Structure formats: structure tokens, C-alpha cells
mmCIF file of all heavy atoms in Angstrom:
data_model
loop_
_atom_site.group_PDB
_atom_site.id
_atom_site.type_symbol
_atom_site.label_atom_id
_atom_site.label_comp_id
_atom_site.label_asym_id
_atom_site.label_seq_id
_atom_site.Cartn_x
_atom_site.Cartn_y
_atom_site.Cartn_z
ATOM 1 N N SER G 1 12.249 13.384 11.149
ATOM 2 C CA SER G 1 11.983 12.506 12.291
ATOM 3 C C SER G 1 11.337 13.250 13.447
ATOM 4 O O SER G 1 10.569 12.668 14.230
ATOM 5 C CB SER G 1 13.271 11.824 12.760
ATOM 6 O OG SER G 1 14.117 12.721 13.467
ATOM 7 N N PHE G 2 11.601 14.520 13.567
ATOM 8 C CA PHE G 2 11.041 15.303 14.671
ATOM 9 C C PHE G 2 9.553 15.599 14.458
ATOM 10 O O PHE G 2 8.863 15.988 15.390
ATOM 11 C CB PHE G 2 11.825 16.604 14.858
ATOM 12 C CG PHE G 2 13.196 16.376 15.424
ATOM 13 C CD1 PHE G 2 14.291 16.264 14.589
ATOM 14 C CD2 PHE G 2 13.378 16.255 16.796
ATOM 15 C CE1 PHE G 2 15.566 16.035 15.106
ATOM 16 C CE2 PHE G 2 14.645 16.022 17.322
ATOM 17 C CZ PHE G 2 15.741 15.909 16.479
ATOM 18 N N THR G 3 9.075 15.401 13.236
ATOM 19 C CA THR G 3 7.653 15.613 12.976
ATOM 20 C C THR G 3 6.825 14.395 13.368
ATOM 21 O O THR G 3 5.631 14.515 13.640
ATOM 22 C CB THR G 3 7.397 15.921 11.485
ATOM 23 O OG1 THR G 3 7.679 14.760 10.692
ATOM 24 C CG2 THR G 3 8.264 17.078 11.011
ATOM 25 N N ASN G 4 7.463 13.217 13.396
ATOM 26 C CA ASN G 4 6.743 11.980 13.740
ATOM 27 C C ASN G 4 7.765 10.898 14.071
ATOM 28 O O ASN G 4 8.021 10.007 13.262
ATOM 29 C CB ASN G 4 5.851 11.541 12.575
ATOM 30 C CG ASN G 4 4.966 10.375 12.937
ATOM 31 O OD1 ASN G 4 4.943 9.902 14.075
ATOM 32 N ND2 ASN G 4 4.220 9.876 11.960
ATOM 33 N N PRO G 5 8.359 10.956 15.267
ATOM 34 C CA PRO G 5 9.465 10.049 15.589
ATOM 35 C C PRO G 5 9.106 8.574 15.600
ATOM 36 O O PRO G 5 9.993 7.722 15.485
ATOM 37 C CB PRO G 5 9.914 10.520 16.978
ATOM 38 C CG PRO G 5 8.770 11.288 17.527
ATOM 39 C CD PRO G 5 8.090 11.908 16.357
ATOM 40 N N PHE G 6 7.828 8.236 15.721
ATOM 41 C CA PHE G 6 7.435 6.834 15.746
ATOM 42 C C PHE G 6 6.796 6.383 14.435
ATOM 43 O O PHE G 6 6.393 5.228 14.298
ATOM 44 C CB PHE G 6 6.476 6.577 16.917
ATOM 45 C CG PHE G 6 7.119 6.814 18.255
ATOM 46 C CD1 PHE G 6 6.929 8.010 18.936
ATOM 47 C CD2 PHE G 6 7.953 5.865 18.817
ATOM 48 C CE1 PHE G 6 7.545 8.246 20.154
ATOM 49 C CE2 PHE G 6 8.574 6.079 20.040
ATOM 50 C CZ PHE G 6 8.375 7.272 20.711
ATOM 51 N N GLY G 7 6.720 7.289 13.474
ATOM 52 C CA GLY G 7 6.157 6.961 12.175
ATOM 53 C C GLY G 7 7.222 6.781 11.122
ATOM 54 O O GLY G 7 8.373 6.446 11.429
ATOM 55 N N ASN G 8 6.848 7.035 9.868
ATOM 56 C CA ASN G 8 7.789 6.901 8.755
ATOM 57 C C ASN G 8 7.724 8.128 7.843
ATOM 58 O O ASN G 8 7.477 8.010 6.632
ATOM 59 C CB ASN G 8 7.509 5.634 7.957
ATOM 60 C CG ASN G 8 6.117 5.595 7.358
ATOM 61 O OD1 ASN G 8 5.192 6.237 7.870
ATOM 62 N ND2 ASN G 8 5.959 4.857 6.264
ATOM 63 N N PRO G 9 7.977 9.307 8.381
ATOM 64 C CA PRO G 9 7.862 10.524 7.567
ATOM 65 C C PRO G 9 8.855 10.588 6.418
ATOM 66 O O PRO G 9 8.554 11.150 5.363
ATOM 67 C CB PRO G 9 8.107 11.646 8.580
ATOM 68 C CG PRO G 9 8.929 11.013 9.659
ATOM 69 C CD PRO G 9 8.408 9.612 9.764
ATOM 70 N N CYS G 10 10.021 9.992 6.598
ATOM 71 C CA CYS G 10 11.032 10.035 5.542
ATOM 72 C C CYS G 10 10.615 9.147 4.371
ATOM 73 O O CYS G 10 10.739 9.539 3.204
ATOM 74 C CB CYS G 10 12.378 9.592 6.099
ATOM 75 S SG CYS G 10 13.758 9.868 4.974
ATOM 76 N N GLN G 11 10.127 7.979 4.671
ATOM 77 C CA GLN G 11 9.636 7.098 3.608
ATOM 78 C C GLN G 11 8.505 7.761 2.837
ATOM 79 O O GLN G 11 8.468 7.701 1.601
ATOM 80 C CB GLN G 11 9.163 5.768 4.197
ATOM 81 C CG GLN G 11 8.681 4.790 3.140
ATOM 82 C CD GLN G 11 8.266 3.459 3.732
ATOM 83 O OE1 GLN G 11 8.057 3.326 4.935
ATOM 84 N NE2 GLN G 11 8.156 2.442 2.895
ATOM 85 N N LYS G 12 7.593 8.407 3.543
ATOM 86 C CA LYS G 12 6.492 9.100 2.867
ATOM 87 C C LYS G 12 7.018 10.215 1.979
ATOM 88 O O LYS G 12 6.504 10.450 0.882
ATOM 89 C CB LYS G 12 5.517 9.654 3.906
ATOM 90 C CG LYS G 12 4.731 8.583 4.646
ATOM 91 C CD LYS G 12 3.817 9.198 5.703
ATOM 92 C CE LYS G 12 3.008 8.120 6.416
ATOM 93 N NZ LYS G 12 2.165 8.682 7.498
ATOM 94 N N HIS G 13 8.065 10.901 2.443
ATOM 95 C CA HIS G 13 8.660 11.992 1.665
ATOM 96 C C HIS G 13 9.249 11.477 0.353
ATOM 97 O O HIS G 13 9.045 12.072 -0.715
ATOM 98 C CB HIS G 13 9.752 12.668 2.507
ATOM 99 C CG HIS G 13 10.576 13.660 1.750
ATOM 100 N ND1 HIS G 13 10.132 14.928 1.438
ATOM 101 C CD2 HIS G 13 11.847 13.573 1.239
ATOM 102 C CE1 HIS G 13 11.074 15.587 0.783
ATOM 103 N NE2 HIS G 13 12.117 14.782 0.643
ATOM 104 N N TYR G 14 9.980 10.363 0.425
ATOM 105 C CA TYR G 14 10.678 9.855 -0.760
ATOM 106 C C TYR G 14 9.815 8.980 -1.655
ATOM 107 O O TYR G 14 10.244 8.616 -2.765
ATOM 108 C CB TYR G 14 11.948 9.102 -0.352
ATOM 109 C CG TYR G 14 13.078 10.031 0.043
ATOM 110 C CD1 TYR G 14 13.529 10.095 1.359
ATOM 111 C CD2 TYR G 14 13.688 10.847 -0.899
ATOM 112 C CE1 TYR G 14 14.565 10.945 1.725
ATOM 113 C CE2 TYR G 14 14.729 11.699 -0.557
ATOM 114 C CZ TYR G 14 15.157 11.754 0.759
ATOM 115 O OH TYR G 14 16.185 12.598 1.114
ATOM 116 N N THR G 15 8.611 8.628 -1.195
ATOM 117 C CA THR G 15 7.718 7.829 -2.040
ATOM 118 C C THR G 15 6.465 8.604 -2.424
ATOM 119 O O THR G 15 5.513 8.022 -2.951
ATOM 120 C CB THR G 15 7.320 6.517 -1.323
ATOM 121 O OG1 THR G 15 6.689 6.822 -0.076
ATOM 122 C CG2 THR G 15 8.536 5.640 -1.077
ATOM 123 N N LYS G 16 6.495 9.896 -2.162
ATOM 124 C CA LYS G 16 5.352 10.738 -2.530
ATOM 125 C C LYS G 16 5.142 10.685 -4.044
ATOM 126 O O LYS G 16 6.079 10.818 -4.821
ATOM 127 C CB LYS G 16 5.616 12.181 -2.092
ATOM 128 C CG LYS G 16 4.425 13.119 -2.255
ATOM 129 C CD LYS G 16 4.817 14.546 -1.914
ATOM 130 C CE LYS G 16 5.390 14.660 -0.509
ATOM 131 N NZ LYS G 16 5.773 16.059 -0.168
ATOM 132 N N GLY G 17 3.925 10.471 -4.452
ATOM 133 C CA GLY G 17 3.625 10.394 -5.875
ATOM 134 C C GLY G 17 3.585 8.988 -6.417
ATOM 135 O O GLY G 17 3.287 8.774 -7.599
ATOM 136 N N GLY G 18 3.948 8.008 -5.569
ATOM 137 C CA GLY G 18 3.799 6.617 -5.984
ATOM 138 C C GLY G 18 5.065 5.874 -6.334
ATOM 139 O O GLY G 18 5.089 4.648 -6.332
ATOM 140 N N SER G 19 6.145 6.596 -6.650
ATOM 141 C CA SER G 19 7.411 5.918 -6.962
ATOM 142 C C SER G 19 8.413 6.184 -5.856
ATOM 143 O O SER G 19 8.366 7.221 -5.189
ATOM 144 C CB SER G 19 7.969 6.400 -8.299
ATOM 145 O OG SER G 19 8.332 7.762 -8.227
ATOM 146 N N ASP G 20 9.313 5.240 -5.655
ATOM 147 C CA ASP G 20 10.337 5.363 -4.619
ATOM 148 C C ASP G 20 11.549 6.067 -5.224
ATOM 149 O O ASP G 20 12.306 5.473 -5.992
ATOM 150 C CB ASP G 20 10.718 3.979 -4.100
ATOM 151 C CG ASP G 20 11.607 4.033 -2.865
ATOM 152 O OD1 ASP G 20 12.400 4.986 -2.738
ATOM 153 O OD2 ASP G 20 11.498 3.129 -2.020
ATOM 154 N N GLN G 21 11.727 7.334 -4.869
ATOM 155 C CA GLN G 21 12.811 8.127 -5.456
ATOM 156 C C GLN G 21 14.183 7.534 -5.154
ATOM 157 O O GLN G 21 15.080 7.566 -6.004
ATOM 158 C CB GLN G 21 12.745 9.560 -4.929
ATOM 159 C CG GLN G 21 11.466 10.308 -5.271
ATOM 160 C CD GLN G 21 11.394 11.649 -4.559
ATOM 161 O OE1 GLN G 21 12.384 12.369 -4.483
ATOM 162 N NE2 GLN G 21 10.220 11.977 -4.041
ATOM 163 N N LEU G 22 14.365 7.014 -3.941
ATOM 164 C CA LEU G 22 15.673 6.484 -3.562
ATOM 165 C C LEU G 22 15.975 5.176 -4.289
ATOM 166 O O LEU G 22 17.094 4.956 -4.757
ATOM 167 C CB LEU G 22 15.755 6.297 -2.051
ATOM 168 C CG LEU G 22 15.608 7.574 -1.219
ATOM 169 C CD1 LEU G 22 15.865 7.293 0.252
ATOM 170 C CD2 LEU G 22 16.548 8.675 -1.717
ATOM 171 N N ALA G 23 14.978 4.312 -4.400
ATOM 172 C CA ALA G 23 15.177 3.074 -5.153
ATOM 173 C C ALA G 23 15.488 3.390 -6.614
ATOM 174 O O ALA G 23 16.341 2.734 -7.234
ATOM 175 C CB ALA G 23 13.935 2.188 -5.044
ATOM 176 N N ASP G 24 14.826 4.393 -7.146
ATOM 177 C CA ASP G 24 15.069 4.791 -8.537
ATOM 178 C C ASP G 24 16.494 5.282 -8.733
ATOM 179 O O ASP G 24 17.162 4.926 -9.721
ATOM 180 C CB ASP G 24 14.082 5.881 -8.955
ATOM 181 C CG ASP G 24 12.655 5.365 -9.085
ATOM 182 O OD1 ASP G 24 12.460 4.141 -9.127
ATOM 183 O OD2 ASP G 24 11.729 6.209 -9.130
ATOM 184 N N VAL G 25 16.979 6.101 -7.799
ATOM 185 C CA VAL G 25 18.321 6.662 -7.969
ATOM 186 C C VAL G 25 19.389 5.594 -7.762
ATOM 187 O O VAL G 25 20.462 5.649 -8.373
ATOM 188 C CB VAL G 25 18.540 7.884 -7.044
ATOM 189 C CG1 VAL G 25 18.798 7.460 -5.606
ATOM 190 C CG2 VAL G 25 19.693 8.745 -7.541
ATOM 191 N N VAL G 26 19.121 4.589 -6.927
ATOM 192 C CA VAL G 26 20.056 3.465 -6.801
ATOM 193 C C VAL G 26 20.191 2.766 -8.154
ATOM 194 O O VAL G 26 21.306 2.479 -8.613
ATOM 195 C CB VAL G 26 19.586 2.474 -5.719
ATOM 196 C CG1 VAL G 26 20.397 1.173 -5.800
ATOM 197 C CG2 VAL G 26 19.746 3.084 -4.328
ATOM 198 N N ALA G 27 19.064 2.497 -8.789
ATOM 199 C CA ALA G 27 19.090 1.845 -10.103
ATOM 200 C C ALA G 27 19.814 2.698 -11.141
ATOM 201 O O ALA G 27 20.582 2.183 -11.968
ATOM 202 C CB ALA G 27 17.663 1.548 -10.557
ATOM 203 N N GLN G 28 19.609 4.005 -11.088
ATOM 204 C CA GLN G 28 20.257 4.914 -12.035
ATOM 205 C C GLN G 28 21.761 5.019 -11.807
ATOM 206 O O GLN G 28 22.509 5.371 -12.726
ATOM 207 C CB GLN G 28 19.618 6.294 -11.926
ATOM 208 C CG GLN G 28 18.159 6.346 -12.375
ATOM 209 C CD GLN G 28 17.435 7.581 -11.873
ATOM 210 O OE1 GLN G 28 18.032 8.498 -11.316
ATOM 211 N NE2 GLN G 28 16.115 7.600 -12.054
ATOM 212 N N THR G 29 22.198 4.717 -10.582
ATOM 213 C CA THR G 29 23.620 4.819 -10.248
ATOM 214 C C THR G 29 24.410 3.623 -10.763
ATOM 215 O O THR G 29 25.620 3.727 -10.985
ATOM 216 C CB THR G 29 23.788 4.963 -8.718
ATOM 217 O OG1 THR G 29 23.116 6.162 -8.292
ATOM 218 C CG2 THR G 29 25.248 5.065 -8.311
ATOM 219 N N GLY G 30 23.742 2.497 -10.982
ATOM 220 C CA GLY G 30 24.440 1.305 -11.450
ATOM 221 C C GLY G 30 25.279 1.539 -12.707
ATOM 222 O O GLY G 30 26.477 1.224 -12.720
ATOM 223 N N PRO G 31 24.722 2.100 -13.773
ATOM 224 C CA PRO G 31 25.527 2.355 -14.973
ATOM 225 C C PRO G 31 26.683 3.329 -14.738
ATOM 226 O O PRO G 31 27.725 3.228 -15.396
ATOM 227 C CB PRO G 31 24.499 2.946 -15.949
ATOM 228 C CG PRO G 31 23.185 2.417 -15.474
ATOM 229 C CD PRO G 31 23.294 2.369 -13.993
ATOM 230 N N LYS G 32 26.512 4.262 -13.807
ATOM 231 C CA LYS G 32 27.590 5.203 -13.499
ATOM 232 C C LYS G 32 28.777 4.478 -12.856
ATOM 233 O O LYS G 32 29.934 4.739 -13.194
ATOM 234 C CB LYS G 32 27.086 6.308 -12.573
ATOM 235 C CG LYS G 32 25.957 7.146 -13.158
ATOM 236 C CD LYS G 32 25.447 8.158 -12.138
ATOM 237 C CE LYS G 32 24.280 8.954 -12.682
ATOM 238 N NZ LYS G 32 23.746 9.919 -11.689
ATOM 239 N N VAL G 33 28.467 3.574 -11.931
ATOM 240 C CA VAL G 33 29.534 2.791 -11.302
ATOM 241 C C VAL G 33 30.193 1.881 -12.333
ATOM 242 O O VAL G 33 31.418 1.719 -12.345
ATOM 243 C CB VAL G 33 28.977 1.977 -10.119
ATOM 244 C CG1 VAL G 33 30.046 1.054 -9.536
ATOM 245 C CG2 VAL G 33 28.440 2.909 -9.030
ATOM 246 N N ALA G 34 29.395 1.303 -13.208
ATOM 247 C CA ALA G 34 29.950 0.451 -14.260
ATOM 248 C C ALA G 34 30.920 1.225 -15.149
ATOM 249 O O ALA G 34 31.971 0.705 -15.548
ATOM 250 C CB ALA G 34 28.813 -0.139 -15.103
ATOM 251 N N SER G 35 30.581 2.471 -15.438
ATOM 252 C CA SER G 35 31.462 3.310 -16.262
ATOM 253 C C SER G 35 32.777 3.600 -15.550
ATOM 254 O O SER G 35 33.844 3.627 -16.177
ATOM 255 C CB SER G 35 30.759 4.623 -16.609
ATOM 256 O OG SER G 35 29.650 4.392 -17.456
#
């Protein structure tokens, strides 16, 4: 946030390469919670 407090640097970090890493890990966590 200190690199661009009015932008979205964190979103850019986690979506670098085209896929949303955080959304992916949420989906991957579902079966773990089910277990």
C-alpha cells in the first residue's frame, strides 16, 4: 500500500500472470474444510 496508496498494488500482485491467486486458493480450501 505504501507504493501506491490510491491504487491497487495488492490486487496486481495477486493477479499477476492472469489468474487470481487468492480466488484460486479459496476454491482449493473448500475440500479441506469439507474433510
Side-chain angles (χ1 to χ4, degrees):
S1 75
F2 289 95
T3 68
N4 187 4
F6 296 99
N8 60 335
C10 190
Q11 182 178 16
K12 291 178 179 177
H13 171 77
Y14 284 112
T15 58
K16 188 185 304 180
S19 66
D20 189 328
Q21 298 172 42
L22 298 187
D24 290 345
V25 77
V26 168
Q28 294 162 9
T29 299
K32 299 176 183 178
V33 175
S35 293

